Amino acid sequence: MKTAFVTGITGQDGAYLANLLLEHGIRVVGAVRRSSSPQVGRLEELGIAHRVELIGCELLEASNIRAVLRGLRPDVVFNLAAQSFVGASFEQPVYTTHVNAIAVAHLLEAIRECCPETRFYQASTSEMFGHGHVGAQNEDTPFHPRSPYAVSKLYAHWMTVNYREAYGLHAASGILFNHESPLRGREFVTRKITHTLAQIRAGREEPLALGNLDAKRDWGYAPDFVEGMWRMVNHPQPETFVLATGVCHSVREFATLAARCAGYDLAWDSDEAGECGRDRASGRKLIVTDPRFSRPNDVHHLIGDASRAKSVLDWSATTTFESLVERMVSADVDRLARGASAV
Ligand code: NAP
Ligand code: G4F
């Protein structure tokens, strides 16, 4: 492979994937949508902004996608771009569908027409499994999407499988469980927790407000997961793979451990305002619950079984939950101490 085209390059996974591809000596061309100032903070933080070629590509414009692919004829397309925040998809279901679902149909059509030898990776998600499953979810688990985001991603997943079966495209779908890092967007619960606790440690008075503390996720480390994407596109057969750690924790457990990493011993209790987390030493409320951060439908429990990725791709997650939380807290504490702007 010589040239990779990465949509969503300005996001968390886009930055880590670009880094990995550059390490493999691949030319990386990233799609950015029009903006007066493209968000290249993550690429800068990894020190690779100058090594990546950015090209304007709006996924809502089929002609734009086709023109880019016809000109570039990349060896591989990684489609990471998405309206990726589940909570926002309840407010903007149609926009979410256009970006996450319809745009994927345009991408696949453009590849079929302009460069059918190009390999394709679709960023699918464990959210497609939804709820109601006993035990860990794998490639054979039925889907039950619980948000407009999950429904849109399920369409894109099935389109990827269809283009593989109908036209013989090398189209892989990675069903990835949650993966986090210091470059995670600040609206997602893990980074919201680590960033706000770092701010509290630095003097912020307002507590951290969260929604559903009981939700459980299988949280891995993003750089481990982009390695899995790379292995999928290099595998001779285009297939569907689950990537996960196989261990899950609740939001409450993540927050308790993050608080410990920030220097607080949290005790949970409830008062008239709801459940809260207090610093045992001072009795101060550091975490409160706020229904504004709860969703009309939530996925309560996700845990993945990545044994197929292990046996076929020799992939497994290598970073523990404890190490992930520690890295995220220390990165946020360090950024604040340096006065660096948060990505
Ligand atoms: P992210 O940080 O939210 O990044 C999303 C990217 O999509 C950004 O670069 C964003 O560009 C771009 N984008 C959004 N709308 C676009 C449009 N209309 N045209 C062009 N680009 C657009 O997401 P992530 O965490 O890196 O996740 C990468 C992909 O994996 C997403 O598809 C997500 O749904 C999926 N996924 C993520 C996880 C996870 O746990 N992280 C798990 C499973 C699946 P701007 O910078 O301009 O906003
Ligand atoms: O961090 P979250 O917003 O991630 P969620 O919904 O699991 O989605 C992420 O992972 C998916 C893979 O499974 C990706 F496909 C998707 O693009 C995204 O990257 O929320 C995690 C859990 C939820 O149950 C949510 O209700 O945390 C709960 N939560 C509790 N309080 C909160 C909050 N979530 C957010 N964002 N903010 C809160 O204050």
Side-chain angles (χ1 to χ4, degrees):
M1 283 189 198
K2 293 194 179 72
T3 302
F5 179 54
V6 181
T7 74
I9 196 153
T10 54
Q12 170 189 260
D13 290 6
Y16 286 118
L17 179 67
N19 198 35
L20 180 76
L21 295 170
L22 289 168
E23 281 171 11
H24 283 282
I26 290 168
R27 173 187 176 212
V28 179
V29 182
V32 285
R33 53 179 163 169
R34 228 217 70 72
S35 141
S36 48
S37 45
Q39 307 293 314
V40 291
R42 293 184 174 97
L43 297 170
E44 280 170 353
E45 194 152 318
L46 295 183
I48 56 169
H50 62 291
R51 297 177 62 200
V52 165
E53 295 168 47
L54 297 180
I55 190 167
C57 187
E58 170 54 68
L59 286 187
L60 299 179
E61 293 284 354
S63 59
N64 196 181
I65 294 173
R66 201 172 291 112
V68 167
L69 288 183
R70 196 175 285 130
L72 199 59
R73 300 178 70 81
D75 298 290
V76 59
V77 172
F78 290 93
N79 182 36
L80 308 184
Q83 190 303 90
S84 73
F85 189 47
V86 175
S89 76
F90 290 99
E91 315 299 325
Q92 301 179 347
V94 176
Y95 171 75
T96 301
T97 303
H98 280 292
V99 178
N100 296 4
I102 305 302
V104 180
H106 289 315
L107 268 169
L108 288 164
E109 270 296 281
I111 291 174
R112 186 171 78 84
E113 281 173 39
C114 309
C115 46
E117 299 306 316
T118 295
R119 295 188 174 200
F120 179 76
Y121 172 85
Q122 170 58 20
S124 298
T125 166
S126 52
E127 281 289 310
M128 301 185 316
F129 293 125
H131 78 149
H133 305 295
V134 179
Q137 295 99 55
N138 65 21
E139 294 80 3
D140 300 321
T141 304
F143 298 118
H144 182 159
R146 296 258 293 170
S147 63
Y149 168 81
V151 174
S152 69
K153 284 285 189 175
L154 191 51
Y155 171 91
H157 165 71
W158 281 124
M159 284 298 270
T160 303
V161 173
N162 267 266
Y163 273 64
R164 180 199 298 166
E165 293 175 350
Y167 305 115
L169 294 192
H170 193 293
S173 178
I175 305 182
L176 272 50
F177 283 66
N178 298 49
H179 44 279
E180 319 291 314
S181 74
L183 300 185
R184 184 60 142 150
R186 275 181 280 153
E187 62 196 342
F188 300 97
V189 75
T190 55
R191 183 78 198 293
K192 179 176 171 182
I193 291 170
T194 63
H195 179 250
T196 312
L197 285 172
Q199 286 182 318
I200 289 174
R201 195 174 180 272
R204 170 185 160 131
E205 288 178 5
E206 199 191 333
L208 162 63
L210 296 173
N212 180 7
L213 296 171
D214 293 316
K216 289 188 169 170
R217 290 290 182 277
D218 179 332
W219 278 300
Y221 182 47
D224 288 348
F225 283 61
V226 300
E227 172 66 34
M229 297 176 190
W230 169 244
R231 291 187 190 203
M232 281 182 227
V233 299
N234 280 289
H235 185 56
Q237 264 69 48
E239 293 178 31
T240 295
F241 290 99
V242 160
L243 299 185
T245 72
V247 179
C248 81
H249 290 275
S250 66
V251 171
R252 189 185 292 97
E253 286 166 343
F254 189 104
T256 305
L257 181 54
R260 193 172 311 142
C261 295
Y264 302 105
D265 184 13
L266 270 196
W268 294 93
D269 66 36
S270 291
D271 58 20
E272 65 290 344
E275 191 171 359
C276 62
R278 291 181 192 276
D279 172 32
R280 248 183 247 276
S282 63
R284 178 182 164 197
K285 258 190 206 181
L286 300 182
I287 301 182
V288 295
T289 40
D290 184 332
R292 280 182 304 146
F293 298 109
S294 295
R295 297 170 183 173
N297 246 352
D298 206 353
V299 172
H300 297 293
H301 185 218
L302 284 175
I303 180 164
D305 167 9
S307 44
R308 199 158 170 279
K310 173 70 188 158
S311 65
V312 179
L313 304 174
D314 194 25
W315 178 91
S316 52
T318 57
T319 309
T320 63
F321 175 72
E322 290 72 20
S323 161
L324 169 71
V325 177
E326 202 280 326
R327 273 179 216 209
M328 291 181 69
V329 173
S330 70
D332 275 320
V333 167
D334 182 55
R335 280 187 189 114
L336 278 179
R338 282 186 288 119
S341 54
V343 292

